[in-house]
Amino acid sequence: MKLNIIKAIVPAAALLLAGGMSSCMNDLDKGNIDPNAQSEVDINALYSKCYAGLIMEGNDGSADFTIDDPGRSTLTRNLYNFNSLPTDEGICWWSDGGIVDICYNQCTPSTPTLNFLYYRLVSNISFCNHYIELGQGDPTMLAEVRVIRAYNYYLMLDFFGDPSFTTSISPDAPKQAHAYNSKFVAGQSYTRAELLAMGREFMFNWIKDELVDAEANLQDAHKKTSESDADYGRIDKAAAWLLLSRLYLNAGTYLNNDGQNNPYWAEALSYAEKCINSNYELFDDTKMTQTAKDAGYKPYDLLFMGDNGSNGASCEAILPLLQDGMKTRGWGGSMFFMAAMYSSDMTTVTGLTSATTQGFWRGMRLRPQFLKTVFRSDAEAYLGKNAQENRAASSDDREIFNGMDYYNDTDKQWHKRTFDLGDNSDFGQGIVTPKWSNNYSTGTTPHDVEYVDTDFFLFRLAEAYLNAAEAEIQLNGINSTKAKQYMDAIRNRAHAKVQGSYTLQDVLDERGREFYFEGMRRPDLIRFNQYGGQNKYKWEYMNGVPEGARFDKAYNLFPIPSSEIQANSNLTQIDGYSEIE
């Protein structure tokens, strides 16, 4: 089945039966769902819906659950909100939805945006449960949906630790993950910390077993050289391998609450190397067209452009989430990574606009500490230069930064840009990035002038290289030849100078350079014990303090939303948080 455009019109029965995951999924009871519309489920539409939940809002511009702004319901947008904004990487000044609270490591069970993350995952899992329970698809499609469900549960584990858990469609309220751990004895008294540890252990083992079991029926790992490939956008064995590598890489966090106390480094390395040794390839100079080179682009740029499904970069995309400006319109997929990060006057590394006219929300900027730590100690040099000028002066293609004053379309005034964040009240406070755009490397016009064609590469082969480098150093030390080879491959693609050897801190910094503003940062900092519960590394507005201040390690996780705790008596709030706030 070709998934070039994931835009499923899912029958009402599919939506209504998907309600068994959460006690609060009455949020799915929306005016645009007619329970009398269709009594039979279209299994292929439901299959597509499981994929669509990774990046789309819902059907026909509405969300899969009640929300005033459907764009805020999407998974990719919330990956950024909860993995980039609470870290040293990104910051936003918007006051709506508790976004600033998330930036300041002060998220509470009543933070509205927390609901959007939780119910997006609940909704996605419900659709997957429904498809799997029907059991009508072919074995390969069924295995793909099992991987999608495992990925959503992986995010539940990573964000919440001990979430609600069910693999079926049922009117009964789900139990919490810890209740399924064989160590749990009903009626016995436990501390919240003990319940959390049991929940994390159960989730880790369930996800691991589910992925290993599903792998056998997946398609063999194979790169897709363009979006015209019939399997472009479908999960194959490499997606399961990369997710297993990521799970094992973070096993110390999940099992021991200490990212460096990890008994699974060898497994993280093994599954990463399965991806590296497949025929997926890093997209580099040798795979670029002369047209793209003549236009001034570098390989890294093409990963985030409107034609990334056809410009050759797809050879690296283990799991691309598909976008088309004419057919997958929305506010929370790849569109968010442009609209939220641009002002109308900003230009790309080749001096072009973002190639979308649909909104310049002027929100997201980079924190100074991240730029100084990950890119260059004198990062103030980015100020006063546009992205094209900063690229020309850079020693790494991934330095895609704009330090120019900006035009505010609301007050019709030019605003000064500063390197520091000031009081975090304006888009001009901090350096910004036009890393994402809707431009085509060929110069061709995008499909639509408003909505974007830029696919979101959820899993990239680059992650496998960096997972392998980190695990190899953990196992064999900084003089590992293999670790150097893996790190060199990533740095050579970016035309950055290679080193004689690499430390673990070098790997963390490299991950920052490679994946910034892709929703990847928080688990990395936690794994390296550079997030909550430490004084070693601080950044601006950490814990809401302008110069940065320590926050408790309990806040490495987010709380279960108050609405869910109130509605489901089976649930206990995560350790470190008040039951409801």
Side-chain angles (χ1 to χ4, degrees):
M1 174 176 289
K2 191 171 184 177
L3 286 177
N4 274 7
I5 302 301
I6 302 177
K7 186 171 175 62
I9 305 301
V10 181
L15 290 170
L16 295 174
L17 288 174
M21 171 62 190
S22 169
S23 57
C24 277
M25 289 306 284
N26 62 330
D27 287 332
L28 288 172
D29 183 17
K30 307 179 309 174
N32 66 324
I33 298 175
D34 179 1
N36 300 311
Q38 190 171 345
S39 59
E40 295 185 3
V41 175
D42 181 336
I43 194 68
N44 289 328
L46 185 54
Y47 165 80
S48 293
K49 182 68 177 178
C50 294
Y51 273 97
L54 298 174
I55 192 167
M56 297 294 291
E57 300 162 358
N59 302 327
D60 300 323
S62 58
D64 289 326
F65 49 88
T66 301
I67 185 173
D68 59 349
D69 177 358
R72 293 196 284 179
S73 74
T74 58
L75 182 58
T76 48
R77 181 167 176 172
N78 281 296
L79 287 178
Y80 177 84
N81 285 342
F82 287 91
N83 274 342
S84 292
L85 289 181
T87 74
D88 62 337
E89 186 182 280
I91 194 166
C92 184
W93 63 274
W94 299 338
S95 60
D96 58 318
I99 288 292
V100 168
D101 293 334
I102 296 167
C103 292
Y104 292 173
N105 311 106
Q106 296 173 353
C107 183
T108 72
S110 61
T111 299
T113 299
L114 182 71
N115 290 323
F116 309 154
L117 169 66
Y118 194 87
Y119 290 121
R120 166 50 59 194
L121 294 172
V122 162
S123 174
N124 287 355
I125 291 166
S126 294
F127 287 120
C128 292
N129 282 345
H130 188 196
Y131 182 88
I132 293 167
E133 199 165 77
L134 289 173
Q136 297 177 15
D138 68 41
T140 300
M141 294 166 65
L142 185 63
E144 291 170 32
V145 174
R146 289 178 69 186
V147 172
I148 295 171
R149 182 176 66 177
Y151 173 65
N152 281 280
Y153 267 131
Y154 168 80
L155 294 176
M156 279 286 207
L157 165 63
D158 190 72
F159 286 125
F160 302 103
D162 187 19
S164 55
F165 180 85
T166 185
T167 58
S168 64
I169 300 299
S170 169
D172 298 330
K175 296 179 181 179
Q176 206 158 355
H178 69 253
Y180 297 95
N181 191 316
S182 61
K183 298 175 182 177
F184 177 77
V185 179
Q188 184 170 318
S189 179
Y190 296 98
T191 66
R192 287 192 183 185
E194 289 171 331
L195 293 176
L196 175 59
M198 284 190 283
R200 284 174 137 181
E201 181 182 51
F202 169 78
M203 292 297 297
F204 176 89
N205 287 315
W206 183 89
I207 295 163
K208 167 177 63 69
D209 293 344
E210 184 75 356
L211 290 170
V212 169
D213 194 53
E215 179 196 338
N217 287 321
L218 294 171
Q219 294 184 50
D220 288 340
H222 62 290
K223 66 182 177 184
K224 290 79 177 177
T225 55
S226 80
E227 61 191 3
S228 62
D229 189 309
D231 294 326
Y232 182 68
R234 290 186 69 179
I235 285 168
D236 63 21
K237 291 182 188 297
W241 296 338
L242 189 54
L243 185 51
L244 278 163
S245 177
R246 188 187 293 187
L247 179 71
Y248 284 126
L249 196 74
N250 291 289
T253 298
Y254 304 143
L255 300 177
N256 298 314
N257 202 26
D258 177 358
Q260 297 300 293
N261 181 12
N262 187 344
Y264 288 105
W265 294 121
E267 289 81 357
L269 174 62
S270 175
Y271 278 104
E273 289 185 327
K274 281 178 178 285
C275 297
I276 293 168
N277 294 330
S278 72
N279 80 333
Y280 282 98
E281 299 177 289
L282 290 178
F283 181 66
D284 59 21
D285 291 293
T286 66
K287 302 172 186 67
M288 286 183 67
T289 65
Q290 192 59 48
T291 299
K293 292 178 181 179
D294 291 344
Y297 294 113
K298 303 296 184 182
Y300 189 75
D301 301 329
L302 272 65
L303 296 168
F304 310 100
M305 295 183 66
D307 62 344
N308 58 354
S310 60
N311 63 23
S314 60
C315 68
E316 182 172 332
I318 290 176
L319 181 53
L321 306 180
L322 311 187
Q323 299 278 268
D324 183 297
M326 292 297 292
K327 300 177 182 178
T328 59
R329 296 183 169 192
W331 300 101
S334 298
M335 166 65 80
F336 169 78
F337 291 85
M338 283 159 252
M341 300 171 194
Y342 275 79
S343 56
S344 59
D345 59 283
M346 273 178 61
T347 55
T348 69
V349 290
T350 58
L352 301 176
T353 68
S354 64
T356 168
T357 61
Q358 189 56 270
F360 299 99
W361 305 346
R362 307 182 305 274
M364 310 301 169
R365 297 101 65 216
L366 291 125
R367 302 199 200 209
Q369 187 62 49
F370 177 80
L371 293 172
K372 290 181 177 181
T373 299
V374 172
F375 282 96
R376 51 189 293 184
S377 58
D378 62 341
E380 292 91 343
Y382 295 134
L383 193 64
K385 302 183 182 72
N386 61 32
Q388 196 169 18
E389 292 167 332
N390 277 318
R391 162 63 65 78
S394 74
S395 58
D396 188 316
D397 293 344
R398 297 166 295 188
E399 294 181 67
I400 307 173
F401 303 126
N402 175 69
M404 299 293 288
D405 297 348
Y406 84 96
Y407 185 74
N408 188 315
D409 296 289
T410 302
D411 64 18
K412 309 300 181 185
Q413 299 290 324
W414 282 91
H415 288 226
K416 182 178 179 58
R417 184 165 304 285
T418 61
F419 181 72
D420 62 76
L421 302 179
D423 61 358
N424 186 34
S425 63
D426 187 81
F427 184 61
Q429 295 168 322
I431 300 297
V432 292
T433 178
K435 172 175 173 173
W436 298 79
S437 86
N438 195 37
N439 292 294
Y440 277 40
S441 62
T442 59
T444 304
T445 302
H447 295 171
D448 188 77
V449 297
E450 297 181 348
Y451 298 95
V452 304
D453 300 334
T454 309
D455 296 338
F456 188 96
F457 291 176
L458 186 67
F459 293 171
R460 290 202 278 122
L461 185 63
E463 182 183 350
Y465 275 81
L466 293 174
N467 288 3
E470 182 177 338
E472 175 66 20
I473 293 172
Q474 290 281 5
L475 292 167
N476 296 308
I478 64 173
N479 293 319
S480 164
T481 301
K482 279 206 302 184
K484 174 174 166 53
Q485 289 173 346
Y486 296 143
M487 287 285 285
D488 285 353
I490 297 297
R491 292 186 63 75
N492 282 329
R493 190 261 291 280
H495 302 104
K497 183 179 179 181
V498 300
Q499 298 175 195
S501 63
Y502 298 93
T503 66
L504 287 171
Q505 185 62 45
D506 289 331
V507 178
L508 177 60
D509 292 346
E510 196 67 28
R511 292 182 74 93
R513 284 184 282 271
E514 185 66 24
F515 297 120
Y516 72 95
F517 275 35
E518 295 180 53
M520 298 277 283
R521 184 66 168 170
R522 178 184 136 272
D524 291 344
L525 290 179
I526 292 173
R527 187 172 66 257
F528 279 79
N529 294 323
Q530 295 184 28
Y531 195 62
Q534 55 82 37
N535 288 303
K536 175 184 175 182
Y537 181 57
K538 296 179 183 178
W539 54 87
E540 302 82 5
Y541 285 103
M542 181 182 182
N543 201 20
V545 177
E547 63 273 18
R550 179 188 184 276
F551 59 89
D552 195 85
K553 193 172 186 177
Y555 300 128
N556 284 357
L557 289 170
F558 295 101
I560 294 175
S562 293
S563 56
E564 188 70 353
I565 294 290
Q566 292 172 320
N568 184 354
S569 60
N570 292 331
L571 301 183
T572 300
Q573 186 55 273
I574 301 301
D575 184 43
Y577 289 94
S578 299
E579 196 72 14
I580 57 175
E581 293 180 15

